[in-house]
Amino acid sequence: MIFTFLKQKQPTRMFSIFKSKKNPDEKNPAQVETRPVSFTDKIRQGLTRTRQQLGKQLSGLFGGRKIDEDLYEELETALLTADTGIEATNRLLESLRTRVRRDALDDSEQLKTVLQDVLTELLQPLERPLVTTGHTPFVIMIAGVNGVGKTTTIGKLAHYFQSQGHSVLLAAGDTFRAAAQEQLKVWGERNQITVISQESDPGKKSDPAAVIFDAINAAVARKIDIVLADTAGRLTTQLHLMEEIRKIKRVIAKAIPDAPHEVLLVLDANTGQNAVSQLKAFNDALGVTGLVMTKLDGTARGGVIAAIAAQFTDTPPALRFIGVGEGLDDLRPFNAREFAEALFD
């Protein structure tokens, strides 16, 4: 029998787990005037490490120098350091050179805005928000390697969809790790969402596909808007596990013929260029329809998004969400212009 985790009030002690890190230099809230922080500001704050890494190398480039080959070489080094990748770096520099010639620019102070513009153009094809209308329930399958933050991402996605007025159900399809199921139940408590998980018998291993199948049927019966189906983290080299995740997708289609309606791959920005190879492997196995880039606030490798855009020019993936902090509201739809401006601000 599948265990259904019903809505419960979240114990107060649980909330400390999800508090954002406190800046030791931050003033006492009573001493400063508080104001709402826009998501643009959150992106800027979240990209601080990447921006600082770039800033060390760009500080002398946008300071009134003459635009010459030395400047382009230094800019190339700075972009590669941020894990932008060779293809994206070459495309950005080529576009930059074209703009410089076209507009007869001769002062490096003018390059910052132009660089933001060409980066925005490169990233624009990735900016395709997720639309969940047209299917009830709308089934979202979540995949990714171990440690990228899938379960936490599911909790934040649940909060995001709830804030839009949607009802949500969580399917605890990661039956390999008991901790993953318990973590998902905590998110269910916090968001007051039902979680469908395996039978609580330590001697019996449940089939993850069966758990998700039952969850989808429960969502249909309850007229739930969105199902978020967790799957076990796996290395792309573990062929038997990659085959199992293909099975999960096939079983989902048995529950609802045109499901899953979205296959979201969660990527950790800290992995840098390895994120590109993960995308290729999961796309081959599942046909990835969207991406979530997590932990941008904890890495200096924020340029990896540009690397993905450059690697998939013919069929660019949709970067649905980016994570720039630990708070519930720090997972938001990707905006190319906001990202480019925050990166070089």
Side-chain angles (χ1 to χ4, degrees):
M1 183 177 71
I2 300 300
F3 173 81
T4 303
F5 190 83
L6 299 176
K7 300 178 181 179
Q8 297 183 20
K9 186 176 180 182
Q10 168 64 28
T12 304
R13 62 186 178 84
M14 290 293 187
F15 280 89
S16 61
I17 299 174
F18 307 104
K19 287 183 178 178
S20 299
K21 293 180 181 178
K22 195 171 184 67
N23 185 338
D25 297 325
E26 184 178 332
K27 295 181 181 179
N28 188 316
Q31 299 174 335
V32 296
E33 181 182 353
T34 59
R35 64 178 181 84
V37 179
S38 69
F39 190 63
T40 300
D41 289 336
K42 286 185 178 181
I43 292 177
R44 188 174 291 107
Q45 293 169 6
L47 292 174
T48 296
R49 292 188 64 177
T50 299
R51 191 169 60 250
Q52 287 176 343
Q53 178 66 42
L54 282 170
K56 292 177 183 178
Q57 308 204 33
L58 298 180
S59 57
L61 298 186
F62 299 144
R65 283 178 49 180
K66 179 182 178 181
I67 300 177
D68 54 19
E69 284 303 315
D70 289 339
L71 185 146
Y72 284 124
E73 287 183 10
E74 291 179 46
L75 182 56
E76 178 182 32
T77 300
L79 292 172
L80 290 173
T81 301
D83 248 345
T84 304
I86 295 176
E87 290 188 39
T89 297
N90 288 340
R91 285 188 57 181
L92 289 171
L93 289 177
E94 182 180 347
S95 297
L96 196 62
R97 289 174 184 270
T98 300
R99 296 286 185 91
V100 168
R101 289 193 299 266
R102 186 192 69 187
D103 300 333
L105 305 180
D106 58 5
D107 191 323
S108 63
E109 286 185 351
Q110 302 165 304
L111 286 184
K112 179 179 174 181
T113 300
V114 178
L115 186 56
Q116 289 175 337
D117 289 342
V118 297
L119 178 58
T120 299
E121 290 176 5
L122 176 64
L123 300 179
Q124 203 76 56
L126 306 186
E127 185 185 319
R128 304 202 301 280
L130 178 59
V131 178
T132 60
T133 56
H135 302 280
T136 304
F138 189 94
V139 181
I140 302 175
M141 181 179 177
I142 315 291
V145 302
N146 302 294
V148 295
K150 286 189 294 84
T151 309
T152 299
T153 296
I154 290 173
K156 292 181 178 181
L157 284 172
H159 174 76
Y160 171 80
F161 289 125
Q162 278 188 316
S163 69
Q164 293 188 323
H166 298 301
S167 57
V168 182
L169 182 143
L170 306 182
D174 185 352
T175 60
F176 286 89
R177 288 193 312 121
Q181 297 173 67
E182 293 305 315
Q183 185 183 2
L184 204 62
K185 291 174 185 178
V186 170
W187 281 109
E189 281 187 336
R190 190 175 191 195
N191 292 306
Q192 295 188 337
I193 292 174
T194 298
V195 177
I196 305 297
S197 67
Q198 69 176 341
E199 190 172 315
S200 55
D201 181 355
K204 181 179 179 181
K205 179 183 175 183
S206 294
D207 181 355
V211 173
I212 295 174
F213 182 85
D214 286 350
I216 293 172
N217 285 331
V220 171
R222 302 179 191 190
K223 295 180 169 54
I224 298 292
D225 296 325
I226 295 173
V227 175
L228 297 173
D230 192 13
T231 60
R234 58 205 65 224
L235 299 175
T236 54
T237 54
Q238 296 174 312
L239 299 182
H240 65 293
L241 292 181
M242 293 300 286
E243 179 53 39
E244 182 181 77
I245 204 170
R246 291 187 184 96
K247 174 190 172 184
I248 292 174
K249 186 180 180 184
R250 292 194 298 268
V251 170
I252 290 175
K254 290 181 179 179
I256 299 178
D258 58 352
H261 307 108
E262 178 82 0
V263 178
L264 272 184
L265 177 64
V266 181
L267 299 170
D268 180 348
N270 287 289
T271 62
Q273 293 295 300
N274 193 36
V276 177
S277 60
Q278 289 175 28
L279 172 53
K280 290 179 179 178
F282 277 96
N283 190 49
D284 289 343
L286 298 174
V288 173
T289 57
L291 306 176
V292 179
M293 184 66 72
T294 66
K295 306 180 187 180
L296 281 165
D297 57 311
T299 182
R301 297 177 169 184
V304 67
I305 294 178
I308 290 173
Q311 286 276 342
F312 296 87
T313 53
D314 294 334
T315 55
L319 180 52
R320 305 297 196 189
F321 299 91
I322 59 173
V324 291
E326 298 178 359
L328 276 173
D329 293 319
D330 292 338
L331 184 75
R332 293 288 184 88
F334 174 67
N335 181 288
R337 170 58 68 177
E338 286 181 350
F339 184 86
E341 290 181 351
L343 198 61
F344 296 107
D345 191 10

